[in-house]
Amino acid sequence: MSDRTKYVLDEDRIPRAWYNIVADLPFAPAAVLHPGTGQPIGPADLAPLFPMALIAQEVSAEREIEIPEPVREAYRLYRPSPVYRARRLEKALGTPAHIYYKYEGVSPGGSHKPNTALAQAWYNKNEGVTRLATETGAGQWGTSLAIAGALFGLEVKVYMVRASYDQKPYRRMLMETYGAQVVASPSPTTNYGRQVLAATPENPGSLGIAISEAVEDAATRDDTKYSLGSVLNHVLVHQSVIGIEAIEQMAMAGEEPDVIIACAGGGSNFAGMAFPWLGRKLRGEGHARIVAVEPEAAPSLTKGVYEYDFGDTARLTPLVKMHTLGHDFIPEPIHAGGLRYHGMAPLVSLVKDKGLIEARAVHQNPSFEAGVLFARSEGILPAPESSHAIRVAIDEAIEAREAGQSRVILFNLSGHGHFDLSAYERYLAGALEDYEYPADRVAAALAAVPVISD
Ligand SMILES: *Cc1c(COP(=O)(O)O)cnc(C)c1O
């Protein structure tokens, strides 16, 4: 073990290939089904939405997928990201545990999301696409795609959940500054948006509705493809740069993690950190427990069912087998907007179902408590999403202290919280709610999940 605090890699250590867990899994992922017919879909079904290169990655079983040089060049803006040893946090907790974190907040945009936004923008550009449509909840994904669109010369249209659009004007301004066009969803610019507005004029929107609008936009225009910031296999592949770098950085530190932790909304930063380590473990190296942390308000991995479901409210997306709370379920308005999703990435769901990873759910106040302790010890203000991972890292460190054990903890700090100050203000004022698990609403939403056996 070295006594450094920060583990930094040179630019030439930016990975040359992404990692695909599918190659190392001893079982095959479930088929993806057409939303209308319920039959397995092929590349042609996805072609209106995605460029061929990304469709190929979506179904790839290759262990390594080469990172195109223009994408590596764009990664040089902020990669490799640093790994820190949280010495001050360890001291504050009085724990013998060693706590390490990988910090993805160094990207423009302030989270891990540019890792896939830059890749997606480049592949689209490379196949002649000139415009991308997407959705955003709290705004981090829309911002990341807006940056990528600006860097690679693509127009970007963002359907932003109405509630965030009204409450978070700075996020909208940031996207517009990067050149994106932003509308509140439900919007009057799509058929589905008009339908929702006709039925419920004051609808605050949801990620599921915004996805439906963006998919409709892309499917109905020749110049436009759809871009999604999480959940899909190709997104998880792009995020693997996090774990690949972290493996090298932990080797620099001379330590082998006992537990690896990340928050999970759609599952992409979790998979990005965890899958390269899990692959290594499946090949007989390392022993870490791997923990996904989700909010109590949207506990798909810990309380959802593992079934085929739609990714959106209008049932336009393919059916994927995943841990879901039902495509009609709209989570309570917790401040960790990036974790408010009814489903979970199919590959994360699969490894959870097979017992290769663990999952825990955390309430809003305990996660903010952890985030504030982290900010005051380490000096970095975490995103509310990331604070879910910090909560569990702290709990692990306390457990190690109480058991009188050493323990090496590695977590992913998925982003900074500079755009979440009103949430911190509410927490500090004691005005944040911890929403109880909405069992009735989940049961109602699950009743709408189609019954499909595989
Ligand atoms: C979007 C976001 C998340 C959740 O998305 P995943 O796909 O689950 O990673 C987590 N942390 C931050 C900072 C985000 O912006």
Side-chain angles (χ1 to χ4, degrees):
M1 181 192 59
S2 84
D3 58 3
R4 292 165 63 174
T5 295
K6 190 171 164 201
Y7 299 89
V8 185
L9 300 171
D10 286 340
E11 269 180 24
D12 67 359
R13 299 308 302 156
I14 294 172
R16 290 177 192 278
W18 291 296
Y19 170 71
N20 181 9
I21 188 81
V22 172
D24 286 318
L25 290 179
F27 27 77
V32 174
L33 308 180
H34 191 280
T37 65
Q39 294 303 308
I41 59 169
D45 296 304
L46 292 174
L49 296 184
F50 303 107
M52 289 317 290
L54 293 179
I55 295 172
Q57 290 178 11
E58 193 58 26
V59 297
S60 172
E62 297 291 315
R63 178 175 288 115
E64 296 201 334
I65 295 173
E66 192 188 331
I67 304 178
E69 203 43 47
V71 177
R72 278 191 88 232
E73 185 61 35
Y75 278 171
R76 287 171 61 183
L77 271 172
Y78 62 97
R79 304 213 71 83
S81 67
V83 162
Y84 293 89
R85 168 106 181 253
R87 292 183 185 276
R88 293 185 188 82
L89 180 63
E90 291 169 13
K91 208 164 177 188
L93 296 170
T95 179
H98 296 175
I99 306 174
Y100 293 84
Y101 60 96
K102 175 95 168 147
Y103 184 40
E104 289 294 309
V106 293
S107 79
S111 78
H112 63 289
K113 290 194 173 78
N115 296 336
T116 185
L118 291 166
Q120 292 189 44
W122 183 80
Y123 282 112
N124 274 284
K125 175 86 179 174
N126 194 44
E127 293 186 28
V129 176
T130 58
R131 183 175 172 274
L132 294 173
T134 197
E135 71 290 328
T136 198
Q140 291 107 322
W141 170 243
T143 300
S144 301
L145 199 66
I147 292 167
L151 293 180
F152 286 111
L154 289 151
E155 270 182 68
V156 175
K157 168 90 177 252
V158 182
Y159 293 86
M160 184 174 191
V161 174
R162 160 66 70 185
S164 305
Y165 185 93
D166 292 338
Q167 286 161 17
K168 299 176 174 167
Y170 291 114
R171 310 261 182 127
R172 170 178 55 76
M173 291 173 212
L174 187 58
M175 290 183 267
E176 288 172 347
T177 304
Y178 283 116
Q181 193 196 347
V182 187
V183 287
S185 165
S187 82
T189 63
T190 64
N191 285 325
Y192 186 64
R194 284 189 288 273
Q195 204 176 306
V196 173
L197 286 172
T200 50
E202 304 297 314
N203 196 305
S206 71
L207 220 42
I209 293 171
I211 293 174
S212 299
E213 287 203 271
V215 167
E216 181 186 322
D217 180 319
T220 53
R221 282 182 62 149
D222 282 346
D223 61 349
T224 302
K225 299 274 187 220
Y226 171 65
S227 186
L228 186 64
S230 186
V231 179
L232 298 176
N233 299 352
H234 67 264
V235 177
L236 274 46
V237 162
H238 300 158
Q239 292 297 350
S240 66
V241 288
I242 300 172
I244 295 169
E245 289 174 5
I247 288 172
E248 192 166 337
Q249 287 160 309
M250 291 306 289
M252 281 168 84
E255 299 229 68
E256 184 68 37
D258 296 308
V259 55
I260 295 168
I261 302 162
C263 68
S268 75
N269 91 88
F270 169 78
M273 171 57 102
F275 282 3
W277 289 97
L278 178 58
R280 197 169 157 268
K281 190 174 167 184
L282 289 168
R283 297 192 300 273
E285 256 183 277
H287 59 263
R289 285 182 293 124
I290 298 175
V291 186
V293 190
E294 57 186 11
E296 283 281 359
S300 53
L301 282 173
T302 52
K303 297 213 176 77
V305 296
Y306 182 51
E307 294 289 352
Y308 274 101
D309 198 8
F310 300 97
D312 70 328
T313 312
R315 309 173 179 212
L316 293 175
T317 68
L319 284 156
V320 295
K321 190 155 186 189
M322 63 178 172
H323 284 82
T324 179
L325 299 162
H327 56 273
D328 288 331
F329 178 69
I330 299 179
E332 303 285 1
I334 53 167
H335 287 278
L339 306 184
R340 289 182 70 225
Y341 186 58
H342 69 271
M344 183 56 64
L347 285 174
V348 173
S349 296
L350 176 65
V351 296
K352 169 65 171 60
D353 186 60
K354 299 288 185 187
L356 299 180
I357 64 164
E358 301 166 28
R360 285 188 216 169
V362 166
H363 272 301
Q364 182 155 246
N365 277 296
S367 72
F368 270 90
E369 182 193 23
V372 169
L373 175 62
F374 184 84
R376 290 177 185 175
S377 339
E378 293 295 309
I380 295 172
L381 184 79
E385 290 87 355
S386 318
S387 293
H388 286 68
I390 300 175
R391 175 76 261 170
V392 170
I394 288 176
D395 290 347
E396 288 277 344
I398 292 173
E399 223 178 86
R401 178 186 73 205
E402 284 169 0
Q405 283 172 353
S406 66
R407 191 175 298 190
V408 178
I409 300 166
L410 170 65
F411 73 89
N412 193 42
L413 186 61
S414 52
H416 68 62
H418 297 178
F419 292 109
D420 299 282
L421 291 172
S422 62
Y424 277 95
E425 182 184 36
R426 295 198 61 213
Y427 168 73
L428 293 172
L432 277 193
E433 261 185 80
D434 279 337
Y435 299 98
E436 281 316 311
Y437 169 63
D440 292 354
R441 292 202 302 116
V442 172
L446 288 179
V449 173
V451 179
I452 297 171
S453 50
D454 55 353

